[in-house]
Amino acid sequence: MGYFSRFAVPHPSPAIYASMIAIAVTVFLIIAGITYFKKWIYLWDGWITTVDHKKIGIMYLISALLMLFRGGVDALMMRAQLAVPDNKLLDSQHYNEVFSTHGVIMVLFMAMPYIMGLMNFVVPLQIGARDVAFPRLNAVSFWLFFMGAMLFNLSFVIGGSPDAGWSSYFPLAGNEFSPHVGTNYYMISIQIAGIGTLMTGINFLTTILKMRAPGMTLMRMPMFTWASLTTCIIIIFAFPVLTIALLMGTMDRLFATKFFTITDGGMDMLWANLFWVWGHPEVYILILPAFGLFSEIIPTFSRRNIYGYTSMVASMVLISFYSFLVWTHHFFTMGQTAYVNSIFSITTMIIAIPTGIKIFNWLFTMWRGRIRFTVPMLYCLAFIPLFTIGGVTGVMLAMSAADYQYHNTMFLVAHFHNVIIPGVVFAVLGASTYYWPKMFGFVLNEKIGKLAFWFLVIGFCLAFFPMYITGLDGQARRMYTYSEDTGFGPWNMVATIGAVCMAISFVLIVYMIYYSIRNAKKEAVSDPWDARNLEWATHTPVPEYNFAIIPQVNSREAFWDAKYKGHPLFKGDYEKIHMPNNSGVPFLMSLFFFALGFGLVFSMWYLAICGLIGVFICMAHRSFEQDHGRYISVEEIKETEAKYGGTHK
Amino acid sequence: MKVDHSQPLEYSTEQNRLNILGFWIFLGAEIMLFGTLFTCYFTLVNRTSDGPIGAEIFEITPVLMETFLLLTSSFVIGLGIHAMRLGNKKAMQAFFILTLLLGIGFLAFEITEFITYYEEGATLQTSAFTSILFTTLGTHGAHVSLGLFWGLFIILQVRKRGITPVTANKSFIFSLYWHFLDVVWIFIFTFIYMKGLTQL
Ligand code: HEM
Ligand SMILES: [Cu+2]
């Protein structure tokens, strides 16, 4: 019993036991289902071992949606607890765990993979490439993210969840104040997923720099590709900082080092600094690709080219640079001098300038455009005003003297949800609707999509605008309850109603997918929106080699100009195409990483060492393996292309 | 695979060029990684609590030996790459083996150095200073150890498969890695040891 008691959840409740049973039943049903329908081989050959960027992208999206559900349940629990004063639904410990996992899951295991998934699917198509620079590494990235997410979610039923917030400040996150394994899960699962993200950054930067179609100069790249490029650069500079911070945090917890302790010279503020040196760029890692997606959708549905291309690019580059110079604004109240605070106040406000430029460019793109109010476009239209409010409240927070009033209140919570939901979530939902036909060959139902959109927008406003008010009145964030006479009650009830609307919207989205799978016309249209960039120049569904002939680019909107100005895109004849082979090793390696992580969380050293050795064996195997890929012959290409009715020329 | 003969072997295919660029970008991330460690080191260096300060535990002889061994190995691997470009497989292998032997020598000195620290009572847990000292040195040492295995694999592959576009590419990338570790060591030598020794 002694050995297994370490796996016990420290604060069990009926809800947790119920979830344990639910998880066990679901896992059993999935396994039974796959076996019954004889899908194991299909899964293994078609998905688990794949190195195809399109399939990897789709796997990211599916995982992200699952995590959105998990994080959303956390959110509903928090809102249920706060709906009325002096509520007893959750105790303080549970509330702590719920807001901690909510934050981590939404930022690292929902928003990040959602963005990564769209990048995976879209970027190679947009630049006219056949795959990414390192397809095998791409699979490794995905599986590391996936196992990191699984490990993190396991904490809920085995050993207990982290409870020190998504920012996990020390000394609270140290052994003394967080004795159970929850924070170990935090440190290690984010580490595993983070390594995957870093590899994605390197992979896509190389891809974008080196694999663009002939004629696509840097200043002819589509906006989303530009956004991805700047994002990759931020990832490459920011994630190593997180790697080190998590390493030091892990060592403090597992090996009693003295980095962030209060005794023996440790320095808790070092964690706060490292965390935000990564953390602020991280929010821009999320928002820049989202900006890129809006810049794809808005021109398409306005029938206008993007206004101010050069200034769009310049502002993204500036944002990625400034994003490293503002981290202190997250702890203005934590002891720097007024001089230091002022500097960071100013740098923070400066970031709002390039962001504002982008807002105006989108508006000018729509100006005199012929706007079609499709679901993706609705998300863009809602984004602009709502995000602007979020940005303005950001500038309010950026005034360091005033921040003493706002900091760690619901006002701050309202700010960052106000930028992340209309910014990132609207972008990825809009973009999923936009790219859905390219991925799956049919258009999602507009009616249900619009209904879901309205529920989301109204739900969002109801859920978060009241927090600005209660925050200014002093309602602290991360507090599990408040008393009646604070007067926060009614506003919190409104916020909870808003959260329910957002949940309904999520249900509608799932229903929309289900409904469309059953009812949509499955005619494979390759360009359903009359769009402008190369990703729409291929067939639908996209053949594994993407383009039978690599396109020739000689303008910023090559596909548009091919359609309407008669520029030929695909010149020359078919040639045999080199493709990478599938491999099960990335998946296997991620399993070893999982074992390593699980072993570390519970200080089960034998398991950890076995996992580590397994990881090394996979790397050694990769070194010795001779894998020259395979060729798709000209006959095969001709056959495939004929099935699609020929290459568009 | 199209082979471009006007380029050195390690750059001769498209995938090779991608690999080299990708690795340079990876080294960029590594610079951030060690940069963060150094920043933390500078932040924590004076937080010694009851433990020793650098000058009390650092010894110049092993550090000079380590520096000598690692710098030499970096030079030798350069010779190895030169031999590879000349197509001299034997010389290349010899230089690579010598590189790894020097690397092993480096690690041996580093490990004895760590043992001495422990004997003198400076352990990983003593103070914030010793924690960051061991972590920074250890991260570099772990990179060297990993490099030993990687280098060994490459030697075995060159032996079996000869100098091909693939093995040449791998060897070249490995040499980048090895030089990089050398650069990091120069920073460690200067800013940890030299600065630490002159602290008194
Ligand atoms: C106009 C641009 C922006 C400005 C001036 C700004 C400013 C700030 C400031 C000063 C804080 C710290 C407030 C405090 O802790 O008291 C903050 C927090 C935050 N911001 Fe922003 N922000 C901006 C845009 C964004 C964007 C685009 C995102 C994400 C996509 C974002 C996400 C966050 C998050 C997640 C936090 C809080 C983290 C936490 O404490 O848990 N912000 N922002
Ligand atoms: Cu920030």
Side-chain angles (χ1 to χ4, degrees):
Chain A
M1 216 32 226
Y3 187 79
F4 288 102
S5 61
R6 68 176 83 192
F7 298 128
V9 177
H11 302 273
S13 73
I16 289 184
Y17 291 125
S19 335
M20 283 183 190
I21 296 171
I23 291 174
V25 170
T26 326
V27 170
F28 176 77
L29 282 182
I30 291 175
I31 292 178
I34 298 173
T35 315
Y36 180 77
F37 292 108
K38 300 203 175 58
K39 290 286 185 199
W40 283 112
I41 294 183
Y42 164 76
L43 258 188
W44 179 262
D45 286 349
W47 296 92
I48 293 176
T49 61
T50 190
V51 292
D52 182 334
H53 70 96
K54 302 179 284 296
K55 287 186 170 173
I56 290 177
I58 288 170
M59 290 196 290
Y60 267 118
L61 298 189
I62 294 172
S63 327
L65 278 177
L66 289 176
M67 289 295 119
L68 178 62
F69 175 73
R70 161 76 214 268
V73 171
D74 283 344
L76 286 177
M77 283 161 72
M78 284 187 283
R79 282 316 324 162
Q81 165 65 22
L82 291 184
V84 288
D86 300 311
N87 199 353
K88 299 263 167 356
L89 185 69
L90 300 176
D91 61 32
S92 63
Q93 174 62 24
H94 273 136
Y95 192 78
N96 293 349
E97 291 178 15
V98 171
F99 73 66
S100 305
T101 53
H102 168 77
V104 174
I105 286 181
M106 286 305 203
V107 172
L108 286 148
F109 299 129
M110 188 286 284
M112 283 294 277
Y114 218 134
I115 298 279
M116 295 291 153
L118 289 165
M119 256 166 72
N120 258 284
F121 189 87
V122 178
V123 168
L125 293 176
Q126 249 185 0
I127 61 174
R130 294 219 162 100
D131 208 323
V132 293
F134 313 112
R136 184 66 102 56
L137 188 67
N138 201 20
V140 173
S141 289
F142 169 75
W143 286 111
L144 286 185
F145 144 71
F146 185 81
M147 288 302 165
M150 289 300 112
L151 187 64
F152 189 82
N153 278 281
L154 206 60
S155 68
F156 172 46
V157 285
I158 303 182
S161 298
D163 56 0
W166 86 283
S167 44
S168 209
Y169 278 173
F170 283 79
L172 176 61
N175 280 334
E176 193 185 338
F177 299 108
S178 300
H180 71 281
V181 296
T183 305
N184 295 354
Y185 271 115
Y186 171 98
M187 298 284 161
I188 290 157
S189 58
I190 298 181
Q191 185 74 285
I192 293 175
I195 295 170
T197 307
L198 180 59
M199 295 302 145
T200 306
I202 295 172
N203 206 342
F204 276 79
L205 184 57
T206 316
T207 308
I208 297 173
L209 287 180
K210 285 284 237 187
M211 293 174 70
R212 297 189 309 276
M216 185 182 282
T217 55
L218 281 179
M219 287 313 270
R220 279 184 190 160
M221 291 195 314
M223 287 319 298
F224 182 61
T225 302
W226 256 114
S228 302
L229 179 95
T230 47
T231 304
C232 288
I233 292 173
I234 307 183
I235 289 179
I236 289 160
F237 284 107
F239 266 75
V241 180
L242 179 71
T243 307
I244 293 299
L246 292 172
L247 175 75
M248 290 166 49
T250 309
M251 287 177 57
D252 261 14
R253 292 187 55 88
L254 297 184
F255 307 127
T257 50
K258 301 290 162 9
F259 292 115
F260 309 127
T261 51
I262 334 177
T263 53
D264 296 319
M267 189 182 194
D268 47 6
M269 277 310 288
L270 183 60
W271 167 270
N273 276 281
L274 291 177
F275 183 85
W276 288 114
V277 167
W278 162 79
H280 188 86
E282 164 66 18
V283 305
Y284 282 92
I285 292 171
L286 298 177
I287 201 69
L288 282 176
F291 286 170
L293 292 167
F294 289 123
S295 307
E296 293 297 327
I297 298 170
I298 291 175
T300 297
F301 295 112
S302 310
R303 276 184 146 280
R304 296 254 279 134
N305 59 341
I306 191 87
Y307 182 89
Y309 180 96
T310 321
S311 64
M312 281 300 216
V313 172
S315 51
M316 283 196 286
V317 173
L318 278 178
I319 288 176
S320 59
F321 174 71
Y322 285 134
S323 71
F324 285 92
L325 302 179
V326 300
W327 78 92
T328 302
H329 68 213
H330 290 279
F331 43 85
F332 280 143
T333 55
M334 279 155 73
Q336 305 78 256
T337 58
Y339 182 65
V340 172
N341 274 356
S342 313
I343 291 175
F344 282 93
S345 262
I346 293 167
T347 54
T348 305
M349 291 181 202
I350 288 176
I351 283 211
I353 298 171
T355 315
I357 293 177
K358 296 185 76 74
I359 299 272
F360 281 107
N361 281 342
W362 287 311
L363 291 176
F364 285 132
T365 305
M366 288 187 284
W367 179 252
R368 300 237 170 108
R370 243 185 296 147
I371 297 179
R372 280 175 289 162
F373 293 94
T374 56
V375 174
M377 190 63 180
L378 286 179
Y379 280 112
C380 298
L381 293 174
F383 151 77
I384 293 176
L386 291 178
F387 184 83
T388 307
I389 298 174
V392 169
T393 56
V395 176
M396 288 170 73
L397 289 162
M399 295 182 257
S400 55
D403 188 55
Y404 280 74
Q405 176 67 20
Y406 314 130
H407 181 62
N408 271 358
T409 65
M410 292 308 248
F411 188 90
L412 165 71
V413 175
H415 154 68
F416 69 75
H417 285 89
N418 204 163
V419 276
I420 291 183
I421 293 178
V424 183
V425 177
F426 285 12
V428 294
L429 290 179
S432 331
T433 320
Y434 183 62
Y435 285 114
W436 189 276
K438 199 84 231 165
M439 293 176 185
F440 302 108
F442 59 93
V443 181
L444 286 170
N445 185 290
E446 279 268 307
K447 262 216 188 97
I448 314 178
K450 283 185 181 162
L451 200 61
F453 163 80
W454 284 111
F455 266 100
L456 189 60
V457 170
I458 294 171
F460 165 79
C461 295
L462 288 179
F464 293 100
F465 288 161
M467 292 184 197
Y468 282 125
I469 299 167
T470 59
L472 283 180
D473 281 348
Q475 188 185 4
R477 77 189 284 207
R478 294 176 175 167
M479 282 295 289
Y480 77 111
T481 190
Y482 52 89
S483 69
E484 173 99 57
D485 42 60
T486 53
F488 301 147
W491 286 122
N492 275 279
M493 184 47 100
V494 174
T496 303
I497 294 170
V500 172
C501 289
M502 292 170 78
I504 293 175
S505 154
F506 184 74
V507 173
L508 283 172
I509 288 173
V510 174
Y511 177 66
M512 165 181 74
I513 296 173
Y514 168 80
Y515 182 88
S516 313
I517 291 175
R518 309 242 3 204
N519 298 319
K521 271 187 289 184
K522 303 282 186 331
E523 45 177 9
V525 266
S526 63
D527 179 24
W529 313 114
D530 196 12
R532 316 175 77 89
N533 285 327
L534 282 181
E535 70 267 31
W536 303 99
T538 62
H539 303 295
T540 297
V542 187
E544 62 164 337
Y545 47 74
N546 295 353
F547 298 93
I549 298 170
I550 295 291
Q552 284 281 338
V553 176
N554 42 28
S555 64
R556 269 183 195 155
E557 296 187 312
F559 181 52
W560 183 264
D561 293 346
K563 281 192 295 190
Y564 293 101
K565 296 188 189 154
H567 294 180
L569 258 188
F570 301 105
K571 286 186 250 181
D573 283 322
Y574 299 134
E575 280 173 45
K576 63 178 180 173
I577 296 173
H578 181 253
M579 297 298 291
N581 285 327
N582 282 2
S583 166
V585 180
F587 177 68
L588 202 66
M589 184 159 146
S590 76
L591 284 181
F592 285 123
F593 260 105
F594 186 88
L596 167 65
F598 193 79
L600 286 177
V601 167
F602 288 98
S603 309
M604 301 191 294
W605 306 117
Y606 287 111
L607 183 62
I609 290 170
C610 289
L612 190 64
I613 291 175
V615 170
F616 284 142
I617 290 177
C618 290
M619 287 160 77
H621 169 269
R622 177 61 175 153
S623 176
F624 282 105
E625 176 185 30
Q626 280 182 300
D627 177 6
H628 299 302
R630 67 204 154 82
Y631 282 97
I632 302 179
S633 67
V634 174
E635 288 72 48
E636 259 178 276
I637 302 170
K638 275 189 182 148
E639 224 171 87
T640 320
E641 292 293 302
K643 250 193 294 181
Y644 286 110
T647 313
H648 316 283
K649 290 233 176 181
Chain B
M1 202 73 70
K2 258 188 265 161
V3 180
D4 176 354
H5 293 288
S6 65
Q7 303 250 28
L9 216 47
E10 67 270 19
Y11 281 98
S12 60
T13 68
E14 184 58 34
Q15 188 63 48
N16 278 3
R17 291 190 284 274
L18 288 178
N19 291 349
I20 291 173
L21 177 68
F23 199 78
W24 273 110
I25 297 173
F26 171 74
L27 288 183
E30 287 272 66
I31 289 174
M32 275 311 289
L33 190 98
F34 281 103
T36 311
L37 280 172
F38 276 111
T39 313
C40 294
Y41 181 83
F42 297 140
T43 313
L44 299 177
V45 62
N46 292 324
R47 299 180 153 251
T48 48
S49 187
D50 298 333
I53 64 166
E56 289 166 349
I57 50 172
F58 295 159
E59 283 170 41
I60 191 70
T61 327
V63 172
L64 280 178
M65 282 308 292
E66 286 162 42
T67 310
F68 173 74
L69 288 170
L70 207 63
L71 260 61
T72 314
S73 80
S74 200
F75 176 67
V76 173
I77 202 171
L79 295 177
I81 294 299
H82 186 64
M84 179 184 90
R85 288 215 169 144
L86 297 176
N88 188 340
K89 185 173 145 185
K90 269 231 177 76
M92 174 195 174
Q93 278 178 308
F95 284 130
F96 266 64
I97 291 172
L98 187 57
T99 305
L100 297 191
L101 289 177
L102 291 166
I104 293 175
F106 166 84
L107 270 187
F109 270 101
E110 183 155 63
I111 290 168
T112 32
E113 190 194 322
F114 279 14
I115 293 173
T116 332
Y117 292 168
Y118 260 72
E119 280 165 356
E120 288 167 4
T123 70
L124 187 61
Q125 288 85 4
T126 307
S127 67
F129 162 66
T130 59
S131 294
I132 190 66
L133 176 71
F134 280 110
T135 306
T136 311
L137 297 178
T139 307
H140 177 266
H143 274 75
V144 174
S145 318
L146 201 79
L148 291 180
F149 285 98
W150 185 12
L152 178 70
F153 296 165
I154 287 175
I155 294 173
L156 292 175
Q157 286 170 40
V158 170
R159 205 178 86 154
K160 220 168 116 202
R161 300 172 194 163
I163 303 178
T164 66
V166 175
T167 55
N169 186 242
K170 287 184 179 184
S171 313
F172 181 75
I173 288 175
F174 176 68
S175 78
L176 291 181
Y177 179 77
W178 201 261
H179 290 312
F180 171 74
L181 293 183
D182 207 37
V183 173
V184 173
W185 181 261
I186 290 171
F187 279 88
I188 291 181
F189 178 74
T190 318
F191 291 108
I192 295 185
Y193 289 115
M194 289 295 105
K195 199 158 172 282
L197 278 167
T198 51
Q199 213 172 21
L200 283 179

